[in-house]
Amino acid sequence: MFRETTLAQTLRADVALIRLSFLVQSIYAQMCAKHDLSPAQAQLLCVIKDRPRGMSELAGLLRLERPGLSGLVDRIERRGLVRRDTPVHDRRAVTLTPSPRGQKIVEAFYAEVSDRLLEVIAHLPAADRRQFERIATKIVTIECVPAVFGDEANEPI
Amino acid sequence: MFRETTLAQTLRADVALIRLSFLVQSIYAQMCAKHDLSPAQAQLLCVIKDRPRGMSELAGLLRLERPGLSGLVDRIERRGLVRRDTPVHDRRAVTLTPSPRGQKIVEAFYAEVSDRLLEVIAHLPAADRRQFERIATKIVTIECVPAVFGDEANEPI
DNA sequence: TATTGTTATACTCTATAACTATA
DNA sequence: TATAGTTATAGAGTATAACAATA
């Protein structure tokens, strides 16, 4: 391989990863602003959009301490986007479910983020897109990244 | 292509991008904590580590409003990690430079983030790593992502 | 007048420590 | 006692609007 010829043109993987992440965060933030959600609120809604979750489980998925999550839920509940429930079999616990309005908002948000991210790779040759999906899936699977975004139906087994 | 056979195993590009970003942010946050930097402070230091920048330029690169940047700089200056200077030719302006201690910290931080990110792809076959670098570089180049991380010497032309 | 940056204000986010209620 | 979650507190981050100084 003639590495010299590409050195100045191809970013090192670490730099590429950071910038890719910066790009995604930037798109995510734009869509949040458009739907009047903070990034934290949007992420919370995305995690509960397909099924309710308990507070501890959510804190783990979102990598938050539980008091921080409590506050986040307070604010988004005050806006009427989620509902706290107490399961009958354990009255210490709380499960979180999107309200009908929250569900509508998160679905619209999710769809637009997806669209915008797919645009990001739309200009690549189809072979590159497939390669990218394959390799990126490998990376996040090996690293056990929690399912903070995605459809239940389209998860790797 | 027999898409059906891989549908359940390969994530869609949008989902993969979000999770990759989540992974990177998570690693970034861990390294920040280790070096006692907030993510915003670390990013600021990374942007000025190779050369001083003006406040407006920084606000643009970091996608912050200027009052937010002023506060960020106040806090990090109070910790003695950066220095504000006024260039003689325009006394309205302010340039930001890491202090010697700030420079040492950001270089250590930068090196560890790089290492950890390179570990993330270290288990992939070499061909996958090269493909990933190539395609990710294309994406961030097409999308004009600002150089928030990287060496001056290793930028695409 | 336009530009650079800061101050004032308000809110969200998030951590640690201490607490309450249930198991 | 251990677990689930909340309250109290404090500080960081960030936005908008109003301001000051310089060009």
Side-chain angles (χ1 to χ4, degrees):
Chain A
M1 284 291 133
F2 297 98
R3 192 91 171 76
E4 309 79 54
T5 63
T6 55
L7 224 186
Q9 285 165 6
T10 298
L11 295 170
R12 253 186 1 238
D14 56 336
V15 175
L17 278 167
I18 291 272
R19 294 202 191 162
L20 216 43
S21 174
F22 191 85
L23 171 63
V24 171
Q25 294 305 312
S26 174
I27 289 170
Y28 202 86
Q30 280 170 37
M31 292 301 147
C32 284
K34 182 169 173 184
H35 291 266
D36 194 27
L37 296 169
S38 71
Q41 290 173 358
Q43 196 169 40
L44 173 61
L45 287 175
C46 283
V47 173
I48 62 173
K49 84 179 174 41
D50 290 321
R51 65 181 165 95
R53 309 265 192 175
M55 295 296 275
S56 292
E57 186 187 6
L58 281 171
L61 284 171
L62 302 178
R63 323 244 227 234
L64 293 175
E65 295 303 318
R66 284 181 303 182
L69 179 61
S70 277
L72 182 58
V73 170
D74 287 347
R75 288 184 293 275
I76 196 169
E77 188 185 32
R78 207 182 304 142
R79 296 182 53 186
L81 304 188
V82 306
R83 200 184 66 228
R84 273 192 246 234
D85 293 310
T86 303
V88 278
H89 57 282
D90 185 348
R91 282 163 41 229
R92 295 171 302 180
V94 167
T95 59
L96 218 62
T97 313
S99 68
R101 195 156 75 87
Q103 187 71 32
K104 221 169 277 171
I105 289 174
V106 68
E107 280 170 8
F109 169 80
Y110 183 92
E112 286 198 50
V113 171
S114 284
D115 284 354
R116 183 68 188 84
L117 289 174
L118 292 175
E119 269 176 33
V120 157
I121 59 157
H123 300 307
L124 298 180
D128 283 359
R129 291 203 298 272
R130 277 196 308 275
Q131 290 278 25
F132 183 78
E133 284 177 336
R134 182 182 61 78
I135 300 169
T137 298
K138 260 196 199 174
I139 294 173
V140 300
T141 304
I142 290 170
E143 295 283 330
C144 301
V145 177
V148 285
F149 196 86
D151 303 301
E152 298 270 296
N154 189 28
E155 292 299 315
I157 302 167
Chain B
M1 282 292 132
F2 297 98
R3 189 92 171 79
E4 310 77 55
T5 62
T6 55
L7 224 186
Q9 285 165 5
T10 299
L11 296 171
R12 249 182 8 235
D14 56 336
V15 175
L17 278 167
I18 290 272
R19 294 203 191 161
L20 215 44
S21 174
F22 192 85
L23 170 62
V24 171
Q25 294 304 311
S26 174
I27 289 170
Y28 202 86
Q30 280 171 36
M31 291 302 146
C32 283
K34 184 169 172 184
H35 291 265
D36 193 27
L37 295 169
S38 70
Q41 289 172 359
Q43 195 169 42
L44 173 60
L45 287 175
C46 284
V47 173
I48 62 171
K49 83 177 173 42
D50 290 320
R51 66 181 164 94
R53 307 265 192 175
M55 296 294 276
S56 291
E57 186 187 5
L58 282 170
L61 284 171
L62 303 177
R63 322 244 227 231
L64 293 175
E65 295 302 318
R66 284 179 302 182
L69 179 61
S70 276
L72 180 59
V73 170
D74 287 347
R75 289 184 292 274
I76 197 170
E77 187 184 33
R78 207 183 304 142
R79 296 182 54 186
L81 304 188
V82 305
R83 199 183 66 229
R84 276 170 155 118
D85 293 310
T86 302
V88 278
H89 57 284
D90 183 349
R91 284 165 38 228
R92 292 172 305 180
V94 167
T95 60
L96 219 63
T97 313
S99 68
R101 194 157 76 88
Q103 186 72 32
K104 222 169 277 168
I105 289 174
V106 68
E107 279 170 9
F109 169 80
Y110 184 93
E112 285 199 50
V113 170
S114 284
D115 284 354
R116 183 68 188 84
L117 289 174
L118 292 174
E119 270 176 33
V120 157
I121 60 156
H123 301 306
L124 298 180
D128 283 359
R129 291 203 298 272
R130 277 196 307 275
Q131 289 278 25
F132 183 79
E133 286 177 332
R134 182 181 62 77
I135 301 169
T137 297
K138 261 195 200 176
I139 293 173
V140 300
T141 304
I142 290 171
E143 295 284 329
C144 300
V145 178
V148 285
F149 196 85
D151 303 300
E152 298 270 297
N154 189 25
E155 293 298 317
I157 301 168

